[in-house]
Amino acid sequence: MRIAPWLRLGLAVLLLSGCVSAFPEEALRSVNRAITMSARATDPTLYVNQRVILGGEILATRPRTGETEIEVLARPLRDDIPERSDRSEGRFLVTTAGFLDPAVFAPGRRLTVIGTVTGVEERKIGEVAYRYPVLATVRLQLWPREWDAPPPFYPGYPWGLYERLYPRPYY
C-alpha cells in the first residue's frame, strides 16, 4: 500500500508535535532530569548548584526589593507541563531577579521553571516546619489560564439550563 507524500508529512508532524518543549534545547541541555522532587526532599543540600526543571501550581508570589519569590506546590511534569492532579511532590521556592506582578503570577496558575538549586530555607506551614528547596531562575514558563467550556451540544440548550448551572468564568 502506497501512502501519499503529503499524508506521510502530516503524520510525521503530528507525531513530533507531542515531543516539543516550551524551552529551547540549549536551556534543557544542562538540566539534570535524574534529580526528582522526592530525591531533593530527602536532602536538598546534596543538589546545590545543580540545574533542574520543576513545575507546579503557584501558591504565593512575594515581590521584594530587586527580586520576586514564588512559592510553588510541585506537580509531576508531562512534556515539561505540570499535570492537573491532586498528587503533590512537595513545595519549593523560586527566586527571580526583578519584579513579577502577583496579579499575573497568581495563586492557582501553573508554572514550569528551569533553575539552579541554591539551598534550603526552613519555614512553617501552619504549625509544621518545612524545608523548601530554593531555585534561582534560569528560565520560567507561565502556562495560560484554563477554564471549562461547555460541550458543543448540551442538555437544556434551548432553555439556558446549562448556563445557569455552570456559568462561564469572566477572565
Side-chain angles (χ1 to χ4, degrees):
M1 180 169 107
R2 185 168 157 85
I3 299 175
W6 61 269
L7 184 58
R8 278 187 285 183
L9 178 65
L11 288 172
V13 168
L14 281 175
L15 288 173
L16 293 175
S17 66
C19 305
V20 175
S21 175
F23 299 103
E25 185 60 37
E26 64 271 3
L28 291 170
R29 217 174 282 133
S30 61
V31 170
N32 186 350
R33 289 187 183 265
I35 303 172
T36 63
M37 186 64 192
S38 55
R40 277 186 298 279
T42 56
D43 190 6
T45 56
L46 292 174
Y47 304 106
V48 172
N49 296 326
Q50 293 285 320
R51 188 164 288 178
V52 296
I53 185 167
L54 291 176
E57 185 178 316
I58 296 174
L59 296 174
T61 301
R62 299 176 198 92
R64 297 188 172 151
T65 306
E67 71 175 16
T68 302
E69 178 187 86
I70 304 172
E71 182 179 350
V72 182
L73 181 65
R75 301 280 191 205
L77 295 177
R78 179 171 293 152
D79 296 329
D80 297 337
I81 302 171
E83 291 180 357
R84 287 241 181 245
S85 71
D86 289 332
R87 271 189 5 194
S88 171
E89 299 179 333
R91 296 179 180 206
F92 63 95
L93 297 173
V94 176
T95 59
T96 184
F99 175 77
L100 296 177
D101 195 329
V104 175
F105 288 80
R109 298 280 308 263
R110 292 185 304 158
L111 177 77
T112 303
V113 179
I114 295 177
T116 305
V117 179
T118 58
V120 178
E121 192 170 315
E122 190 166 318
R123 295 187 184 175
K124 289 197 173 219
I125 301 175
E127 300 285 320
V128 179
Y130 188 83
R131 296 179 71 202
Y132 288 86
V134 181
L135 300 179
T137 302
V138 173
R139 289 263 190 185
L140 190 84
Q141 173 65 45
L142 183 66
W143 299 101
R145 296 177 194 252
E146 296 174 356
W147 61 84
D148 295 328
F153 175 77
Y154 46 89
Y157 163 68
W159 304 283
L161 180 61
Y162 191 89
E163 286 86 0
R164 279 186 250 136
L165 293 175
Y166 304 101
R168 288 182 183 228
Y170 296 101
Y171 50 84

